Amino acid sequence: MRRLFYLVHEAWANMRTNRTTTVVAILTTAFTLACVGIFLLLYVNLRSAAGWLQDDIKLMVYLDDRVSRDGVQELEGKLKADRMVSGILYISKEQALGEFRAQFPSESHLLEGLGENPLPASFVVTLAPSFRSPDAVKRWAERIGTMAGVAKVDYNQEWIDALAWLIRYIELAAIGVGVILSAAAVTIIGNTIRLALFARREEIEILRLIGATRAFIRIPYVLEGAVLGAFGSALSLGILKIGFELFRQQIRSTGRFSGIENLIVFFPLSMCVALVVVGTALGFAGSFVSLRRFGEGRA
């Protein structure tokens, strides 16, 4: 217990001795991680928006006019029992005609001369979230299209493909930017630890001469790097939260895009904790890299 207290005390002493360097490292790390956070926040909201768009994907299952009422009920039962289907709505021929007249009042006269209602009955189908990929939707549509009583299955394949591409692009961009800026944070913290090692190189040499182990010498600097990473990530979250609330307030005050301020969200508590943990891990990595290079230089 005494040794642990000593190691923590040494880490704190290092930060107090190099206050200016420590503050600069925390601020620079916070700025770098805030840049990561801005892109991550943008990714979270774009991913959420893409999820809302996916919820709006509907497939139209048009029925053959010759299918009987019993056949419609049988087909409805099969669709409801399908594990890929999360929702289903039946639209009769009369309902389809009424919706057409309501949506296109200027074109409704085109149907008056036909006598019989030409619009087919249909099912509006919503697939479960785990089955909304382009390949899954295509396979489901092909399978349902072969069922008795089904005239056609219609959906916007191009829209589904474009949405899937957008989600993949957002994920790849988030990973790429996150890796680059995380490496920058590791470099910043590593340089800070290296300065501390250089300033106390004589003291470190004395500890070696009196028999101190390599781990005993290095642990305070590892703890210092972890603390710098944790403080930097916590500060970056504070900066992001203030900027996020100011952005929402600006949208609300301008009156443009009314309601969008209620759709954008900040990180949940679990993600905030995860970001602090990631910052701590980056600080640890920066310390480890710096200590390793310092050890090689001394060798």
Side-chain angles (χ1 to χ4, degrees), residues 21-22 25 187-197 224 228 290:
T21 305
T22 299
T187 302
I188 291 167
I189 295 173
N191 288 334
T192 303
I193 299 300
R194 190 178 302 175
L195 288 174
L197 289 168
E224 181 181 349
L228 290 176
S290 183

Side-chain angles (χ1 to χ4, degrees), residues 39-55 129-130 132-133 163-172 174 263 265 271:
F39 198 86
L40 185 59
L41 194 59
L42 180 63
Y43 164 73
V44 168
N45 282 276
L46 287 176
R47 189 68 175 83
S48 178
W52 299 332
L53 293 175
Q54 277 189 321
D55 292 340
S130 56
R132 291 176 184 169
S133 66
L163 186 58
W165 176 85
L166 175 63
I167 292 173
R168 286 195 296 268
Y169 179 80
I170 292 172
E171 290 175 347
L172 290 175
L263 299 178
V265 296
M271 185 172 289

Side-chain angles (χ1 to χ4, degrees), residues 4-299:
L4 178 61
F5 177 79
Y6 171 80
L7 295 173
V8 173
H9 178 268
E10 283 297 299
W12 176 249
N14 290 342
M15 289 187 288
R16 288 189 60 187
T17 302
N18 302 280
R19 285 190 294 270
T20 302
T21 305
T22 299
V23 171
V24 170
I26 291 175
L27 293 177
T28 311
T29 302
F31 175 77
T32 304
L33 294 178
C35 293
V36 178
I38 290 172
F39 198 86
L40 185 59
L41 194 59
L42 180 63
Y43 164 73
V44 168
N45 282 276
L46 287 176
R47 189 68 175 83
S48 178
W52 299 332
L53 293 175
Q54 277 189 321
D55 292 340
D56 288 336
I57 294 176
K58 310 292 183 183
L59 288 86
M60 301 297 299
V61 180
Y62 294 106
L63 306 182
D64 193 323
D65 288 339
R66 295 169 296 181
V67 66
S68 64
R69 184 178 297 273
D70 291 340
V72 172
Q73 292 178 350
E74 181 181 356
L75 182 58
E76 182 176 8
K78 290 180 180 179
L79 291 175
K80 288 182 176 179
D82 194 324
R83 66 188 183 91
M84 295 179 63
V85 176
S86 64
I88 182 174
L89 174 66
Y90 175 69
I91 299 178
S92 66
K93 292 172 64 69
E94 292 74 18
Q95 288 175 318
L97 181 60
E99 289 183 3
F100 180 86
R101 287 174 173 170
Q103 294 180 12
F104 308 101
S106 62
E107 307 293 337
S108 60
H109 67 278
L110 298 175
L111 302 178
E112 294 176 358
L114 298 178
E116 186 178 348
N117 180 6
L119 300 179
S122 61
F123 288 109
V124 181
V125 178
T126 303
L127 296 183
S130 56
F131 298 105
R132 291 176 184 169
S133 66
D135 291 339
V137 172
K138 183 178 180 180
R139 287 195 301 269
W140 186 88
E142 291 174 348
R143 177 167 57 85
I144 298 301
T146 61
M147 288 186 174
V150 176
K152 181 183 179 182
V153 179
D154 192 21
Y155 65 99
N156 195 333
Q157 179 68 39
E158 293 181 358
W159 167 248
I160 295 175
D161 290 340
L163 186 58
W165 176 85
L166 175 63
I167 292 173
R168 286 195 296 268
Y169 179 80
I170 292 172
E171 290 175 347
L172 290 175
I175 293 173
V177 173
V179 168
I180 293 172
L181 294 180
S182 296
V186 170
T187 302
I188 291 167
I189 295 173
N191 288 334
T192 303
I193 299 300
R194 190 178 302 175
L195 288 174
L197 289 168
F198 184 78
R200 304 186 65 181
R201 62 190 183 280
E202 293 181 358
E203 181 181 338
I204 293 172
E205 188 62 31
I206 293 173
L207 288 173
R208 284 176 174 172
L209 292 175
I210 63 176
T213 63
R214 178 175 296 184
F216 185 81
I217 295 172
R218 291 185 172 189
I219 286 176
Y221 297 97
V222 172
L223 293 176
E224 181 181 349
V227 171
L228 290 176
F231 281 5
S233 58
L235 181 58
S236 69
L237 284 173
I239 295 172
L240 287 171
K241 181 62 175 176
I242 293 172
F244 177 80
E245 293 301 331
L246 290 175
F247 177 72
R248 289 185 62 183
Q249 183 63 34
Q250 184 66 24
I251 293 177
R252 192 180 296 113
S253 62
T254 56
R256 298 178 181 178
F257 310 108
S258 178
I260 195 174
E261 72 274 8
N262 297 321
L263 299 178
I264 57 176
V265 296
F266 193 69
F267 300 127
L269 179 60
S270 58
M271 185 172 289
C272 291
V273 174
L275 289 174
V276 174
V277 172
V278 169
T280 305
L282 291 176
F284 175 85
S287 299
F288 180 79
V289 171
S290 183
L291 286 165
R292 187 172 181 179
R293 289 180 179 176
F294 182 80
E296 290 174 354
R298 297 294 294 177

